[in-house]
Amino acid sequence: MRAFARLAVATLVAAAPLTGVMAAQAADDPTPVTVLTSDFEDATVQGWTGRSAETLAVSTAVAHGGTHSLAVSGRTAGWQGPSLSVLGTFEKGISYTVSAWVRLAEGSDLARLSVERRAGGTASYETVVGDTAVSATGWVNLTGRYTLSADAESLSVYVETASTTGGLYLDDVTASYVPTLPIQTGIPAVKDVVTEFPVGAAITGAEITGTHGDLLARHFTSVTPGNALKWDATEPTENAFSYAQADPLIAFARSHGMRVRGHTLVWHNQTPAWVFQDADRETLLARLENHIRNVAAHYGDTVGTWDVVNEVIDESQPDGMRRSAWYTLTGLDYIRTAFRVAREAAPAARLCINDYNTNVAAKRDALYALVVKLRGEGVPIDCVGHQMHVNVSWPSIAETEAMLKKFQGIGVQQQITEMDVSIYTSSGESYPTPPAERLLAQAYAYRDMFALFRRYAADLGSVTLWGLADDNTWLDTFPVTRKDAPLLFDTRLQAKSAYWGVVDPSRISSPSASTSPSASTSPSASTSPSASASPSASTSPSASTSPGKSSCAVSYRVTGSWPGGFQADVRIVNTGSAPLRGWKLTWQFTGGQTIAQLWNGSVTQSGGAVTVTAASWNGTVAPGAAASVGFLGASTGGNPAPAAFAVNGATCDIV
Ligand code: XIL
């Protein structure tokens, strides 16, 4: 039962709401593969060492699970802490979810989970989980994702604290991954369908390896390094330039004939503190000039477009300008200098001013006024970048069109630079699994936005999405930590309804259509072109409304099994023409199976009779939409699939 217990723990960590960014994978995806477990229950330190001269010992004073934990004492610096080599455990290109429980011996502080990677004799430090409040009063979970994107000579996971150096405890450390699927080759490439302008994706090192690299090269014609060209990456200390992060990304783009957007030369974020240290106007502008001259010249004409300045507008200020340190010390001169030097250092590059919320009237008006003013002075602004971080219900197409219209006719090109469509409409929401109706709304948003962009192709130089697939999106931690799903491909790199919204909207139903769409509207069904119904079936009302037909279809899938246990997904598709409001799904187990843990709903079981009731957020299922639950079960003997399913007492088709 030990293997079962370990697997179950790993699965539950991934399945439970709010435990980490991988939460959404459990219901739709197979069991994660656990590559590392440290529970210290065997009273050994299980390979953990100190990063310096700390003392590590197994303790029974406190424990997160079981009776033992790892106690670390004798720390003399915040960066000292427990460390475990994962060289040979972590493989390149695989995205691991790393989870650890931390507790302090005394007081409170912030703790981080990090990775130290050494290559070519140089160490780099990557944050897996950023500063998180920890204390001596309880255990705190740190869960994050790590992808090894380059070869390493040594590789270790470690825990450190921000300021205090007291003792700490560590327990129940796990690392797991969900195997990726091969990319779909039978579906059209986005770049072959949207040919009016380059379509790009923002990437990190993880996206150029393995199947991620295949997906990127197959669908996109442009890349934007998401972080690798920011100041903290390229000039972390004064006049010491580093292109180690960006060069591999740009080499990938070049070798695949893709364009490169350089993001970004000047920003108020991700800029090292030294830049503003003891700076007056002249020093700051000199540092700025040196930075741009070096970085822009390093790439020459390989970078076709630069976001020269990023997010300089604050429409709440009387003059519309963000009160950054740049602005406070130089007024508009940092912008003037940045564009002048960028033009001199990279004469062939298109130079953009980039900002978010440019669909909001006050913001776009302030940006417009600035662009017109500076261009009037001869500042070489060639292009306005609209970030387009939007969500499933905002903004409207009309607002977005007004944004594009505003900048027509003033001599600038426009680019959509960072588009993603969050499934959330407020900071308070959090779903362990993206609800079907949100994914459908997202598909409509992508459909309508891309239709608009294609109508404005004469004004648009490119459209870039801020990420490749839902397994790696900045929205998992912004504005709060929760799993988001804002892109065209899901966490396993498979095409979502959003993809079909861009590539072939006939494969998703119209929200206003009065006919009942078929199962082809369900997000997962629509990801496979062959799985979706033919256009005539999907629009024929008689297909789902003729008397005697059921109005639900259920698929039951065992996604993993091991001696004594299994994991399964059950998916209900509303094949009727009316919304399903509140559902109870029932079936009979005939092999003695019992459900140990179920997510996305609640369960009762009496003998073999199982009743699953919708969760609060997935109780309403629109026609053509679907709801899924997943569970862990125990089985002794065979594990026969249930022979029949009913929703609210009415028998469903089995698919
Ligand atoms: C984001 C990156 O994607 C994250 O990895 C990083 O932690 C923060 O910045 N607007 C921008 C981008 O211009 O640079 C930001 O990128 C997202 C918002």
Side-chain angles (χ1 to χ4, degrees):
M1 285 305 282
R2 187 158 176 79
F4 171 80
R6 284 195 175 190
L7 196 51
V9 167
T11 307
L12 294 181
V13 164
L18 298 176
T19 51
V21 295
M22 290 287 281
Q25 295 210 316
D28 295 321
D29 298 336
T31 311
V33 176
T34 301
V35 296
L36 158 71
T37 308
S38 297
D39 58 10
F40 311 107
E41 293 304 310
D42 63 0
T44 76
V45 297
Q46 299 182 343
W48 288 79
T49 58
R51 300 192 74 215
S52 181
E54 311 88 300
T55 305
L56 269 63
V58 173
S59 166
T60 52
V62 287
H64 171 258
T67 50
H68 295 68
S69 66
L70 182 71
V72 184
S73 57
R75 300 170 65 233
T76 56
W79 55 267
Q80 295 178 2
S83 170
L84 180 72
S85 171
V86 288
L87 190 68
T89 304
F90 284 8
E91 286 176 41
K92 208 162 88 171
I94 293 187
S95 177
Y96 295 95
T97 296
V98 187
S99 166
W101 291 85
V102 177
R103 176 181 182 137
L104 298 186
E106 58 194 28
S108 58
D109 198 352
L110 301 171
R112 277 194 296 276
L113 187 63
S114 310
V115 166
E116 178 184 315
R117 181 173 67 86
R118 283 184 180 269
T122 310
S124 53
Y125 303 94
E126 293 157 300
T127 301
V128 181
V129 183
D131 283 341
T132 307
V134 288
S135 73
T137 58
W139 290 95
V140 172
N141 181 244
L142 305 182
T143 297
R145 185 192 310 274
Y146 180 74
T147 305
L148 176 62
S149 55
D151 291 329
E153 287 144 16
S154 76
L155 188 72
S156 44
V157 177
Y158 64 95
V159 175
E160 59 188 326
T161 54
S163 43
T164 59
T165 57
L168 63 82
Y169 295 97
L170 180 69
D171 203 359
D172 291 336
V173 183
T174 59
S176 61
Y177 70 95
V178 176
T180 56
L181 295 171
I183 67 163
Q184 294 153 297
T185 50
I187 59 173
V190 173
K191 67 182 180 191
D192 293 340
V193 175
V194 183
T195 53
E196 294 87 343
F197 35 70
V199 183
I203 56 167
T204 64
E207 269 93 26
I208 60 169
T209 54
T211 42
H212 289 86
D214 297 342
L215 187 71
L216 178 65
R218 182 176 163 77
H219 289 282
F220 296 94
T221 45
S222 173
V223 299
T224 305
N227 285 311
L229 286 173
K230 290 173 182 171
W231 198 312
D232 58 356
T234 53
E235 195 186 2
T237 52
E238 186 158 17
N239 218 21
F241 290 90
S242 167
Y243 303 106
Q245 282 184 52
D247 279 355
L249 310 184
I250 288 169
F252 180 95
R254 285 190 74 143
S255 68
H256 290 87
M258 304 163 94
R259 300 174 191 231
V260 179
R261 294 194 81 264
H263 175 87
T264 171
L265 293 170
V266 188
W267 195 21
H268 57 278
N269 282 335
Q270 292 176 267
T271 304
W274 69 259
V275 176
F276 305 107
Q277 198 95 46
D278 304 321
D280 58 13
R281 180 181 179 284
E282 274 63 42
T283 329
L284 190 59
L285 291 177
R287 287 172 180 167
L288 174 68
E289 173 151 4
N290 187 50
H291 179 75
I292 296 179
R293 224 172 260 301
N294 276 277
V295 177
H298 177 79
Y299 290 107
D301 53 14
T302 324
V303 172
T305 296
W306 276 105
D307 287 332
V308 177
V309 297
N310 194 34
E311 302 182 351
V312 303
I313 298 295
D314 176 355
E315 68 276 27
S316 70
Q317 298 293 341
D319 62 357
M321 297 306 301
R322 178 188 292 276
R323 297 302 188 255
S324 63
W326 293 110
Y327 182 84
T328 312
L329 283 163
T330 77
L332 295 181
D333 282 347
Y334 78 99
I335 304 177
R336 296 185 177 105
T337 304
F339 277 94
R340 173 178 58 77
V341 177
R343 169 74 8 114
E344 287 168 17
R350 193 179 296 275
L351 305 183
C352 294
I353 182 168
N354 191 46
D355 220 317
Y356 62 93
N357 284 3
T358 47
N359 50 286
V360 173
K363 181 115 186 199
R364 70 166 183 257
D365 290 350
L367 178 61
Y368 175 88
L370 179 70
V371 171
V372 169
K373 173 184 162 71
L374 292 179
R375 278 178 57 86
E377 296 174 9
V379 177
I381 301 176
D382 306 321
C383 141
V384 168
H386 306 287
Q387 290 187 5
M388 287 290 290
H389 293 293
V390 300
N391 71 43
V392 289
S393 66
W394 177 90
S396 67
I397 296 299
E399 283 172 276
T400 312
E401 182 162 10
M403 165 190 98
L404 295 174
K405 268 194 185 331
K406 179 85 189 178
F407 293 92
Q408 280 180 323
I410 59 164
V412 290
Q413 190 192 71
Q414 301 186 61
Q415 299 191 11
I416 305 300
T417 57
E418 305 183 16
M419 183 173 181
D420 45 21
V421 181
S422 173
I423 62 166
Y424 298 108
T425 58
S426 76
S427 303
E429 296 177 330
S430 178
Y431 298 121
T433 305
E437 70 271 20
R438 293 286 169 106
L439 293 176
L440 207 49
Q442 179 184 63
Y444 300 138
Y446 270 111
R447 175 193 66 185
D448 297 344
M449 289 294 180
F450 266 76
L452 173 72
F453 299 154
R454 294 171 83 172
R455 277 197 283 124
Y456 279 78
D459 300 285
L460 280 175
S462 64
V463 174
T464 291
L465 304 181
W466 204 246
L468 175 65
D470 288 345
D471 66 330
N472 187 10
T473 162
W474 76 301
L475 294 177
D476 282 348
T477 53
F478 181 89
V480 293
T481 297
R482 59 187 171 187
K483 184 63 199 144
D484 208 333
L487 298 162
L488 303 185
F489 299 95
D490 67 16
T491 53
R492 304 195 74 204
L493 313 189
Q494 307 299 293
K496 297 162 61 186
S497 292
Y499 159 90
W500 291 109
V502 172
V503 165
D504 181 359
S506 75
R507 292 189 184 275
I508 53 170
S509 68
S510 162
S512 55
S514 56
T515 55
S516 160
S518 76
S520 69
T521 57
S522 90
S524 74
S526 68
T527 56
S528 154
S530 58
S532 62
S534 66
S536 66
S538 71
T539 52
S540 158
S542 65
S544 57
T545 54
S546 57
K549 289 266 181 189
S550 76
S551 57
C552 52
V554 169
S555 64
Y556 178 93
R557 202 161 54 101
V558 173
T559 56
S561 57
W562 51 91
F566 67 106
Q567 182 176 340
D569 287 345
V570 191
R571 178 181 192 84
I572 309 167
V573 179
N574 178 0
T575 53
S577 53
L580 189 56
R581 294 189 203 285
W583 51 262
K584 252 188 211 319
L585 171 68
T586 46
W587 72 79
Q588 187 78 31
F589 275 135
T590 55
Q593 302 101 317
T594 52
I595 294 184
Q597 169 91 17
L598 180 137
W599 50 93
N600 300 343
S602 55
V603 64
T604 56
Q605 184 170 0
S606 163
V610 175
T611 302
V612 177
T613 309
S616 56
W617 49 266
N618 66 0
T620 301
V621 185
S628 297
V629 297
F631 66 86
L632 286 175
S635 69
T636 48
N639 185 12
F645 296 89
V647 165
N648 298 344
T651 304
C652 302
D653 294 334
I654 297 183
V655 289

